[in-house]
């Protein structure tokens, strides 16, 4: 009796909010579905939600990670830093290969291992990118459906613009005409304020309007300038693809099943169709809580959809025999489909931070360094979901271009998608890290690194030497982590741009308004030789954790690429990829909004195929 009751609780029958999110494969009604989606992250949960709008479709989501229920560090925005401090229960615990551009350092490479994927443990920054980023996707794929104008309705299906929890007057802080209040995923302006700091940032846009103009809304497609931060937060809580697209009213759909602790190893039972395309009869996965794991196979009668993200998706493809034939054969993996682009052109954005001590106690340090205030703030959040814990302490983002006559363009074609697309991001926030005192922090990002590619330098021997980022296999064991080489700061352009970004950050805080506010930089970078600055960068930079392009979309007749513009894998049938790995170039922004919109349009493309 007792046993039966605990089984009922475990399988969720008595806990309605968990109704269709399973922890144990034994509780699934079966292993055959119309669609099997691999990965319950940003895009995967969108696709699961949209496909099950049609009651005739049955959908299984296989997610390797753990449940997001009750994970306070994920739910409470201010606590997000706890998720990035090293190996933890919500992480794949990856490390990059030694990065030549980082003086051969390997860096931890966070990827989420929790329902909601990286939306459940990211920085919550909501940035779509520039209109030109998407227009370039349309141009290189030959499908106008990937243009900014065509995708805007999909951004709107995703976004549920929400009032901040402090109910402040938000006029002048965003442009309502480029937002939607009836999507699914909450987005809001900050519900907590740092008035003195914010005044300084806004005053900078008045004092230095040429270099740092105010931009009412950088999510309009026109990004340049400084604008107010927008975040995937609603009601003071993080909004993830799990809390939104798998909210109880969706998760309870009879045709939607989500299985946790289910790590997909590979696609199996490869066959050739009469037309010569490869199909797979099953999705193999390991399930179980450590002490009793075993392999199972799920079957998709219509389509297998890979949404395992920019690391997971190419890894599964390669273990399934889809990738560079020579490389796979060398590892003892039988080649099923020769697609040398799988795992190549991997792109992430180099990042470096700088801090200044300030003559103000109105900084996030006053909370993070003071246990009394920290507990007060946590209590307030627990009681009413208000106060400083409703946000991260970044208030604005700056989006800047290199000078048109910059000497770097003598040798390098501008990698930005167009003349209105930024090269540099500077995040502007209060609070330092692991130091006593009051600080402000600026985070500098190279938005369009050239290190991705083997062919952007005009010098063949040089090109070979600097081959860009990649995700490859170290063995034929699907449970070994892949080799993640981000190729960070390998090119002259990338190091030039990050140097320039640091100079811009120093110019930003030289606006007169900061004079009596800033005391000193924690490390003075303003007067270093280029060599010394480069050493500082190479010893301190890391990745933005925005990996894309590892299973890139290309035109139907292109000689490279992994998926066609309809997101079906080239040369395969009944197999598609819907996640950030398909983006042919990185957005000039943080990447979750792009991943969500790939999910929204991708779901529509699947629905069209199976009407
Ligand atoms: C630390 C960090 C901070 C970030 N901050 C921001 C930010 O502030 N703003 C922003 O816009 N973007 C941010 N991003 C990036 C953004 O979150 C991602 O681009 C986006 O979530 C990618 O969506 P996706 O669907 O491609 O993959 P993911 O969201 O990563 O989802 C993939 C899912 O697949 C699962 N999976 C992988 N392999 C397997 C397998 N073999 N079997 C079963 N399941 C598997 C994973 O566990 C995961 O749940 C951040 C990312 C990280 C890692
Ligand atoms: C990552 O490391 C943490 C802490 O050691 C562990 O709990 C977690 O299970 C690891 N993640 C994976 C996917 O193994
Ligand atoms: C990094 O490693 C490469 C290859 O092993 C080596 O040639 C180079 O000198 C190393 N660089 C540094 C800064 O140690
Ligand atoms: C990388 O992307 C470029 C387009 O930017 C393309 O020409 C090249 O073929 C791609 N490389 C691979 C290995 O797919
Ligand atoms: C901080 O500001 C006060 C006045 O507002 C001034 O008296 C003091 O000297 C300043 N401290 C520093 C370190 O600049
Ligand atoms: C910590 O915060 C409490 C409550 O606001 C305050 O009384 C105290 O002075 C603060 N301590 C320090 C060291 O600033
Ligand atoms: C807030 O609630 C969480 C979850 O219930 C709990 O772990 C935490 O201790 C609480 N914090 C405070 C300060 O009340
Ligand atoms: C451009 O390339 C030339 C020739 O290699 C070199 O002399 C020059 O320094 C380069 N310019 C920049 C800005 O890197
Ligand atoms: C190409 O790059 C290599 C290595 O940097 C250099 O030695 C060579 O002179 C370059 N060739 C041309 C034609 O610029
Ligand atoms: C910058 O460095 C130069 C040379 O090392 C020195 O002469 C100059 O005084 C320094 N300027 C500042 C502002 O520190």
């Amino acid at each position: 009796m007792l046993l039966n009751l605990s089984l009922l609780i475990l399988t969720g029958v008595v806990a309605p909010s968990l109704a269709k999110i399973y922890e144990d494969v034994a509780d699934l009604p079966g292993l055959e579905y119309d669609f099997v989606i691999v990965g319950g992250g940003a895009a995967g949960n969108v696709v699961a939600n949209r496909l099950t709008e049609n009651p005739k479709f049955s959908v299984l989501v296989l997610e390797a990670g753990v449940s997001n229920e009750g994970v306070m560090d994920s739910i409470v925005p201010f606590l997000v830093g706890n998720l990035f401090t090293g190996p933890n229960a919500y992480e794949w615990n990856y490390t990059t290969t030694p990065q030549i551009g980082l003086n051969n350092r390997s860096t931890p490479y966070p990827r989420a291992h929790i329902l909601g994927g990286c939306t459940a443990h990211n920085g919550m920054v909501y940035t779509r990118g520039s209109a030109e980023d998407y227009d370039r996707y349309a141009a290189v794929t030959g499908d106008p459906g990937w243009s900014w104008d065509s995708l805007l309705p999909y951004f709107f299906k995703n976004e549920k613009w929400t009032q901040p929890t402090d109910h402040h007057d938000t006029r002048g802080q965003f442009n309502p005409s480029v937002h939607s209040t009836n999507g699914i995923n909450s987005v809001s302006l900050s519900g907590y304020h740092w008035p003195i700091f914010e005044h300084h940032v806004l005053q900078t846009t008045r004092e230095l309007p040429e270099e740092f103009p105010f931009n009412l809304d950088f999510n309009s497609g026109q990004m340049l300038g400084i604008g107010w931060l927008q975040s995937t937060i609603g009601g003071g809580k993080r909004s993830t693809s799990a809390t939104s697209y798998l909210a109880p009213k969706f998760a309870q759909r009879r045709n939607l099943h989500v299985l946790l602790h289910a790590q997909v190893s590979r696609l199996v039972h490869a066959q050739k169709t009469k037309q010569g395309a490869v199909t797979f009869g099953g999705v193999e996965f390991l399930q179980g809580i450590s002490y009793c794991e075993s392999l199972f196979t799920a079957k998709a009668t219509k389509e297998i959809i890979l949404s395992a993200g920019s690391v997971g998706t190419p890894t599964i493809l390669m273990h399934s025999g889809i990738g560079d034939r020579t490389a796979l054969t060398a590892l003892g993996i039988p080649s099923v489909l020769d697609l040398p682009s799988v795992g190549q052109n991997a792109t992430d954005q180099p990042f470096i931070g700088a801090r200044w001590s300030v003559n103000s106690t109105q900084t996030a340090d006053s909370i993070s360094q003071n246990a009394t205030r920290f507990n007060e703030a946590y209590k307030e959040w627990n009681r009413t979901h208000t106060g400083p814990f409703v946000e991260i302490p970044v208030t604005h983002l700056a989006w800047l271009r290199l000078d048109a006559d910059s000497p770097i363009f003598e040798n390098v074609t501008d990698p930005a998608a167009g003349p209105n697309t930024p090269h540099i991001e500077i995040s502007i926030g209060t609070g330092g890290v692991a130091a006593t005192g009051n600080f402000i922090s600026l985070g500098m990002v190279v938005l369009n690194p050239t290190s991705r590619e083997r062919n952007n330098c005009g010098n063949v021997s040089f090109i070979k030497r600097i081959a860009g980022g990649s995700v490859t296999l170290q063995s034929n064991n699907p449970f070994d982590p892949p080799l993640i080489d981000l190729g960070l700061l390998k090119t002259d352009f990338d190091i030039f741009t990050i140097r320039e970004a640091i100079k811009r950050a120093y110019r930003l805080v030289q606006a007169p308004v900061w004079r009596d506010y800033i005391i000193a930089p924690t490390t003075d970078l303003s007067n270093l030789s280029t060599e010394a600055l480069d050493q500082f960068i190479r010893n301190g930079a890391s990745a933005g954790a925005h990996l894309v392009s590892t299973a890139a979309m290309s035109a139907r007749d292109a000689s490279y690429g992994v998926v066609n513009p309809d997101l079906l894998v080239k040369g395969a049938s009944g197999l598609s990829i819907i996640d950030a790995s398909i983006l042919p170039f990185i957005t000039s922004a943080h990447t979750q909004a792009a991943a969500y919109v790939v999910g929204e349009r991708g779901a529509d493309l699947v629905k069209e195929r199976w009407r």
Side-chain angles (χ1 to χ4, degrees):
M1 190 55 200
L2 200 64
L3 185 71
N4 279 346
L5 187 63
S6 63
L7 269 178
L8 278 176
I9 292 168
L10 280 176
T11 55
V13 175
V14 281
S17 74
L18 298 172
K20 294 296 179 53
I21 296 178
Y22 295 96
E23 304 259 339
D24 187 344
V25 65
D27 298 323
L28 280 184
L31 282 172
E32 189 172 308
Y33 291 79
D34 292 320
F35 299 96
V36 174
I37 299 172
V38 179
N45 290 338
V46 174
V47 179
N49 177 305
R50 296 303 183 188
L51 292 184
T52 54
E53 285 174 344
N54 181 343
K56 293 203 192 99
F57 290 160
S58 64
V59 171
L60 173 66
V61 178
L62 295 170
E63 166 56 49
V66 300
S67 170
N68 60 308
E69 289 280 323
V71 178
M72 294 308 279
D73 290 340
S74 172
I75 299 168
V76 185
F78 193 84
L79 300 182
V80 61
N82 294 345
L83 297 170
F84 303 155
T85 50
N88 65 62
Y90 316 111
E91 266 287 336
W92 285 84
N93 306 324
Y94 291 133
T95 307
T96 67
T97 59
Q99 297 292 289
I100 292 172
L102 303 185
N103 283 340
N104 293 339
R105 281 183 298 128
S106 292
T107 71
Y109 197 56
R111 294 296 303 183
H113 191 255
I114 177 173
L115 190 62
C118 294
T119 67
H121 95 329
N122 68 16
M124 294 163 285
V125 173
Y126 179 78
T127 57
R128 296 170 180 167
S130 78
E132 291 166 342
D133 286 332
Y134 295 89
D135 292 346
R136 173 159 67 173
Y137 299 157
V140 299
T141 63
D143 177 355
W146 290 107
S147 70
W148 170 264
D149 285 346
S150 303
L151 289 176
L152 203 53
Y154 291 110
F155 281 112
F156 286 1
K157 285 184 84 170
N158 170 249
E159 180 186 50
K160 184 182 173 64
W161 185 265
T162 307
Q163 284 307 307
T165 49
D166 65 352
H167 302 291
H168 75 271
D169 183 355
T170 55
R171 281 174 299 176
Q173 298 187 348
F174 78 116
N175 176 358
S177 74
V178 300
H179 293 276
S180 145
T181 52
N182 47 26
I184 291 189
N185 172 44
S186 298
V187 176
S188 63
L189 291 161
S190 178
Y192 184 78
H193 288 280
W194 306 94
I196 297 173
F197 179 69
E198 290 168 4
H199 162 78
H200 282 74
V201 179
L202 292 177
Q203 187 60 21
T204 303
T205 68
R206 295 177 200 118
E207 291 176 350
L208 302 175
E210 294 280 309
E211 186 161 17
F212 303 107
F214 179 69
N215 184 337
L216 176 62
D217 199 318
F218 48 64
N219 280 319
S220 65
Q222 303 298 323
M223 303 178 72
L224 298 175
I226 294 185
W228 288 89
L229 180 73
Q230 302 175 10
S231 302
T232 45
I233 293 173
K237 293 196 224 177
R238 175 197 291 267
S239 175
T240 76
S241 73
T243 63
S244 58
Y245 285 86
L246 296 183
K249 66 175 165 176
F250 303 122
Q252 280 166 23
R253 286 179 183 155
R254 301 172 61 90
N255 54 342
L256 172 58
H257 296 157
V258 178
L259 180 63
L260 303 177
H261 319 293
Q263 183 174 344
V264 170
S265 40
R266 61 191 138 206
L267 312 179
V268 292
H269 310 321
Q271 287 180 320
K272 282 258 163 96
T273 64
K274 283 196 201 85
Q275 291 75 32
V278 175
T279 63
F280 292 89
V283 179
E284 182 188 81
F285 62 98
L286 185 72
Q287 214 272 343
I289 327 260
S290 58
Y291 54 89
C292 60
E293 293 175 319
S294 41
L295 288 173
F296 299 86
T297 303
K299 188 174 173 193
T301 54
K302 291 189 164 65
E303 217 169 281
I304 297 167
I305 299 169
L306 295 180
S307 300
S310 297
V311 176
T313 288
T315 304
I316 295 166
L317 287 171
M318 290 184 280
H319 283 297
S320 310
I322 304 177
D324 182 73
R325 184 187 302 274
T326 317
L328 295 184
T329 308
L331 288 169
I333 298 172
S335 170
V336 171
L337 193 52
D338 187 22
L339 285 182
S341 294
V342 170
Q344 299 300 314
N345 271 347
T347 312
D348 200 345
Q349 294 160 331
F351 165 91
I352 193 153
R355 285 184 287 283
W356 287 260
S357 60
V358 297
N359 191 1
S360 166
T361 54
Q362 205 186 82
T363 67
D365 307 295
S366 65
I367 297 166
S368 51
Q369 292 170 21
N370 182 327
T372 313
R373 287 204 62 197
F374 184 91
N375 283 323
E376 279 169 8
Y378 203 164
K379 265 197 208 113
E380 178 181 358
W381 187 91
N382 278 358
R383 256 194 328 266
T384 55
H385 295 156
T386 59
F389 274 31
V390 302
E391 252 297 352
I392 56 167
V394 169
T395 66
H396 296 83
L397 303 177
W399 307 96
L400 311 171
R401 275 184 70 78
L402 295 172
D403 297 332
D405 59 358
S406 169
I408 195 69
F409 294 126
E410 286 166 19
N411 297 341
V412 182
T413 312
D414 185 351
N420 300 307
T421 297
H423 300 108
I424 292 168
E425 176 190 354
I426 302 178
S427 63
I428 307 170
T430 86
V433 182
T436 309
N438 288 282
F439 301 90
I440 62 166
S441 295
L442 272 58
M444 282 66 75
V445 178
V446 180
L447 293 168
N448 306 279
T450 59
S451 295
R452 73 189 297 256
E453 286 181 29
R454 292 157 194 268
N455 61 354
N456 200 19
C457 305
N459 175 333
V460 173
S461 64
F462 185 56
I463 293 160
K464 287 236 167 68
R465 202 159 50 77
I466 63 138
S470 63
V471 174
T472 54
L473 302 183
Q474 56 174 311
S475 79
N476 61 9
N477 179 352
F479 301 103
D480 279 348
L483 299 168
I484 303 171
D485 178 2
L486 306 172
L488 287 178
L489 297 176
K490 267 181 170 177
T491 61
D492 290 347
F493 177 85
D494 296 358
I495 191 85
F496 176 91
T497 305
I498 202 162
R499 240 188 259 135
E500 186 62 25
I502 292 172
K503 289 180 192 155
R504 300 287 179 98
Y506 272 77
R507 290 216 285 273
L508 195 156
V509 298
Q510 267 156 24
V513 66
W514 300 93
R515 204 170 288 139
D516 295 326
Y517 179 89
I518 285 192
I519 298 171
T522 54
T523 308
D524 191 355
L525 305 176
S526 63
N527 201 26
L528 294 180
S529 66
T530 301
E531 288 68 30
L533 185 57
D534 284 359
Q535 283 310 309
F536 176 85
I537 293 167
R538 295 193 189 286
N539 291 329
S542 60
H546 293 155
L547 193 67
V548 299
S549 297
T550 52
M553 167 166 79
S554 67
R556 211 165 272 281
D557 59 358
S559 59
Y560 65 95
V562 179
V563 295
N564 284 327
D566 59 6
L567 304 186
L568 284 165
V569 172
K570 290 172 186 284
S573 174
L575 176 62
S576 57
I577 300 177
I578 307 184
D579 61 27
S581 69
I582 65 103
L583 296 174
F585 297 94
I586 198 155
T587 56
S588 54
H590 304 239
T591 44
Q592 67 171 336
Y596 275 125
V597 91
V598 166
E600 287 284 7
R601 179 162 193 242
D604 255 10
L605 292 168
V606 176
K607 281 175 158 176
E608 269 163 41
R609 286 199 271 282
W610 297 101
R611 248 203 304 235

